[in-house]
Amino acid sequence: MKDIVLRQSLADQVRYRSNGCWPNETFADVLRARVASNPNKEALTDGETRLSYLQLEDQILRVANLLAKNGIKEGDIVAVQLPNWFEFIPIYFAIERVGAIGVPISIEYRSREVDYVLRETDCRGIIICREYKRFDHLEMVDNLRTDLPNLDFVGVVRGEARDGSMSLDSVIADSGRPDNFVEVETNPDSVMRMMFTSGTTGLPKGVTHNHNTSLWPARMLNADMGVDKEDVMLLYLPLALNWGYLSVLQVLLAGCRLVIMEKFSAEAALQAIATEKVTYLATAPASIVAMLTVLEQKEYDLSSLRSVITGGTSCPLETIRAFRNHIDGDLIELYGMLECGGYHTYTRRTDDPERVAGSVGKCGTEMRLRISPIGGIGAVADGERGEIQSQGPGTHLGYFKRPEANAEAFTDDGWFRSGDLGMIDTDGNLRIVGRLKETINRGGKKYYPREVEEILYTHPKVLHCAVVGLPDERLGESNCLCIVPRAGEEAELHEFVDFLRDEVAVFKLPERLEVCSELPRTPTGKIQRHKLVEQILDRDKAFS
């Protein structure tokens, strides 16, 4: 990984090391400290299985031993595609113990998306569930690996393996530590994880992080939000997404307890808060709305809940007011992205909720931002709009095998270009006002529309097409497919949903169809997505 380097200046690196942002420790070091201080403290539960810190450490070592015996070694890349099952955590962190690099893949991804990640990273191994929601993940991987000669190891969770794969169930269900296993001591500055996002090039990009850039955002938010060993965190955000991953780091850094839900349900979440005495919840606004709807009809003991952190899209003022009527805890709004570590700015407990509504607060400790002229460097005056640019100890190491994307993503003076438009208000809080990137953010799940459009161009009825995000109160944006059909063809939404269903994740499927005579374009032929959105909204307004 020759192009993977620390993006911070030498002076910043020295400062981060001297002030404790980068304490020269790995995740393994953190967990060992938890085991040494309180081995029998419960670390996590899914409501059925309960693991202490010692049991979690033992599971990690057993899985790491299995990986090592099957040829996974230092520098290899191993993908993990599992739902929010407790097994995800020991499996993912076992990859570190052999010096390999973990790549989580959304459980919603299908063959085209999984194939892209495996091929782009030249994965040596993948660990999957046998089947989930009536989809056969093992069959998918078996079909893909015929064209992936370097994919040597396929591990299977909660189900029988087949020839060429291996079940991890007995190893996870076992007890104690493996004999004669020697784990790899990794450098805190070495790449240890990669997650894929989408960017302006139209293809997903692998965002790389080391231990230092990964641990700091979790350590920072714990300090700023007062998370300690007595807290209980509820997590239904996907473990395969950065926010879910960072939530696990927060728990283990604090030495507190994690409650995992396989998938979100408003009633199940409220019951878990009441039963497990949850104190801390990370969530999207849509889930808050769903829980508030249930609370209008039923009562739950939510007195333990102290902090609710919301992000992905702005939380409406009406939701904030309703939340305050039902729950005594604080509602914190957060902004961040994978490239800046995940947590960048957030409101504070001491803020007036009404006054900061619509903003995402101020920078976390040691994080920096500036609002810059679009395409430029430096800062505009407060109150003016521009591109949000960031620096800090959580900044990623760069995009995997994408030197051109790295050159575009960072300014000449070392700031990361977010692609989001913002302004600083009179109170010094950041307000998001738009997006330069063409990514669609549906309920906190981002993707680049070209991924879907390239598939749609193979449909016999499509002459031209564009997928755009329309404003949505619940999700932030919803997916609208705009097509110019071929001559004489008529089109219906279900045709394209069915065409895409086995190719892309569910959150990328179109929810609305607009048939157009033409698509607005620049003089060079590029689709003007913002104008297309304006046309649709103007049309809706005219008919309302």
Side-chain angles (χ1 to χ4, degrees):
M1 296 192 179
K2 292 180 290 186
D3 65 330
I4 303 300
V5 297
L6 291 172
R7 299 284 164 177
Q8 294 81 356
S9 69
L10 182 59
D12 282 341
Q13 292 178 42
V14 171
R15 189 175 79 254
Y16 298 153
R17 296 185 199 282
S18 64
N19 66 10
C21 295
W22 291 355
N24 201 42
E25 67 180 358
T26 66
F27 173 80
D29 295 329
V30 171
L31 187 52
R32 289 189 199 107
R34 299 289 81 77
V35 173
S37 63
N38 200 348
N40 297 318
K41 169 77 178 286
E42 185 174 298
L44 67 93
T45 182
D46 59 4
E48 295 182 5
T49 299
R50 295 184 181 271
L51 295 177
S52 69
Y53 275 94
L54 177 60
Q55 289 170 325
L56 174 59
E57 170 80 348
D58 288 352
Q59 278 192 353
I60 290 172
L61 293 174
R62 291 198 302 272
V63 175
N65 184 53
L66 181 144
L67 293 176
K69 286 184 174 180
N70 283 274
I72 301 299
K73 60 186 183 303
E74 188 170 3
D76 286 344
I77 295 176
V78 179
V80 178
Q81 190 185 31
L82 294 173
N84 271 31
W85 293 346
F86 81 88
E87 293 97 332
F88 189 112
I89 295 173
I91 286 170
Y92 190 74
F93 290 111
I95 295 169
E96 171 201 347
R97 303 300 181 98
V98 295
I101 299 164
V103 181
I105 300 176
S106 169
I107 193 63
E108 299 180 63
Y109 279 13
R110 297 297 182 252
S111 58
R112 185 182 294 257
E113 298 150 321
V114 174
D115 179 70
Y116 176 82
V117 172
L118 298 180
R119 198 174 296 277
E120 184 76 1
T121 60
D122 194 20
C123 260
R124 289 292 308 283
I126 184 171
I127 299 171
I128 55 174
C129 53
R130 177 64 177 81
E131 184 177 294
Y132 190 68
K133 292 184 176 178
R134 297 190 298 277
F135 182 79
D136 192 328
H137 288 262
L138 182 54
E139 181 179 2
M140 173 186 68
V141 171
D142 279 346
N143 291 334
L144 292 176
R145 69 187 304 191
T146 58
D147 294 322
L148 297 169
N150 291 326
L151 188 66
D152 296 329
F153 177 77
V154 176
V156 180
V157 175
R158 296 197 189 183
E160 293 183 3
R162 292 201 289 256
D163 288 345
S165 61
M166 175 178 293
S167 173
L168 276 68
D169 291 342
S170 61
V171 170
I172 291 173
D174 205 350
S175 61
R177 301 192 173 191
D179 295 328
N180 304 318
F181 171 64
V182 179
E183 58 184 292
V184 175
E185 294 293 335
T186 55
N187 186 324
D189 289 332
S190 297
V191 176
M192 49 78 72
R193 70 182 181 106
M194 186 190 316
M195 289 185 172
F196 275 78
T197 185
S198 296
T200 52
T201 62
L203 292 172
K205 300 190 290 290
V207 178
T208 56
H209 279 282
N210 62 24
H211 295 272
N212 282 321
T213 62
S214 296
L215 286 167
W216 171 248
R219 186 179 284 112
M220 173 188 72
L221 196 61
N222 276 2
D224 287 348
M225 294 295 128
V227 179
D228 61 28
K229 64 181 181 181
E230 303 303 324
D231 276 293
V232 180
M233 181 182 294
L234 176 62
L235 183 63
Y236 45 73
L237 297 171
L239 287 163
L241 294 183
N242 193 52
W243 199 358
Y245 168 83
L246 290 179
S247 297
V248 177
L249 293 191
Q250 283 185 253
V251 167
L252 300 176
L253 280 164
C256 60
R257 190 161 68 90
L258 178 66
V259 180
I260 305 171
M261 287 179 58
E262 182 178 318
K263 57 184 178 180
F264 174 76
S265 153
E267 291 203 43
L270 290 167
Q271 186 61 57
I273 293 170
T275 303
E276 300 287 348
K277 303 302 179 187
V278 169
T279 64
Y280 186 103
L281 172 64
T283 187
S287 298
I288 296 177
V289 172
M291 286 189 282
L292 289 172
T293 300
V294 174
L295 287 172
E296 295 294 337
Q297 304 167 349
K298 297 182 179 180
E299 289 189 6
Y300 291 88
D301 179 7
L302 307 181
S303 57
S304 62
L305 194 57
R306 184 171 60 88
S307 302
V308 176
I309 316 294
T310 179
T313 186
S314 182
C315 198
L317 181 57
E318 295 76 15
T319 301
I320 294 172
R321 288 172 176 164
F323 171 89
R324 293 171 66 196
N325 288 334
H326 286 281
I327 300 171
D328 292 332
D330 297 307
L331 181 62
I332 305 297
E333 292 211 56
L334 178 148
Y335 167 76
M337 59 182 58
L338 175 57
E339 288 93 335
C340 71
Y343 303 147
H344 190 179
T345 71
Y346 33 85
T347 58
R348 303 301 202 271
R349 298 182 187 282
T350 54
D351 290 334
D352 177 349
E354 298 268 336
R355 190 172 179 86
V356 298
S359 87
V360 287
K362 299 179 177 66
C363 279
T365 303
E366 285 292 340
M367 297 299 293
R368 289 172 284 170
L369 71 82
R370 69 185 183 189
I371 308 299
S372 298
I374 296 172
I377 61 176
V380 302
D382 285 357
E384 293 186 14
R385 299 182 174 196
E387 182 183 28
I388 300 170
Q389 296 181 358
S390 69
Q391 277 189 341
T395 303
H396 72 130
L397 308 178
Y399 298 114
F400 182 61
K401 297 196 301 187
R402 294 292 184 85
E404 75 293 342
N406 289 327
E408 183 181 340
F410 289 91
T411 64
D412 291 341
D413 58 346
W415 289 69
F416 175 71
R417 304 178 188 272
S418 72
D420 288 333
L421 296 173
M423 60 171 284
I424 303 299
D425 66 19
T426 55
D427 293 323
N429 293 309
L430 174 64
R431 293 181 181 267
I432 312 298
V433 297
R435 187 178 297 118
L436 285 170
K437 293 180 179 179
E438 294 177 349
T439 47
I440 293 174
N441 184 348
R442 184 186 183 279
K445 297 178 180 179
K446 299 178 183 179
Y447 72 98
Y448 192 78
R450 182 175 160 186
E451 299 175 56
V452 178
E453 293 162 0
E454 288 183 348
I455 304 171
L456 287 167
Y457 271 112
T458 66
H459 193 285
K461 290 189 176 183
V462 173
L463 181 62
H464 300 295
C465 71
V467 179
V468 296
L470 297 182
D472 185 281
E473 287 187 5
R474 188 175 67 88
L475 297 169
E477 289 183 299
S478 60
N479 304 323
C480 179
L481 168 60
C482 306
I483 74 160
V484 177
R486 294 186 180 277
E489 296 286 1
E490 295 184 358
E492 295 186 14
L493 177 62
H494 71 86
E495 298 177 87
F496 303 107
V497 172
D498 291 343
F499 187 71
L500 293 166
R501 193 179 302 279
D502 291 334
E503 299 287 335
V504 300
V506 173
F507 67 84
K508 300 177 185 178
L509 295 177
E511 298 159 283
R512 172 173 172 174
L513 175 67
E514 288 290 321
V515 177
C516 309
S517 57
E518 60 180 359
L519 301 178
R521 297 179 182 271
T522 66
T524 59
K526 185 177 180 181
I527 295 173
Q528 295 178 300
R529 296 175 191 273
H530 66 287
K531 286 193 175 181
L532 191 52
V533 171
E534 289 172 4
Q535 290 176 6
I536 296 169
L537 296 180
D538 286 344
R539 190 182 311 159
D540 287 350
K541 188 175 180 180
F543 285 99
S544 62

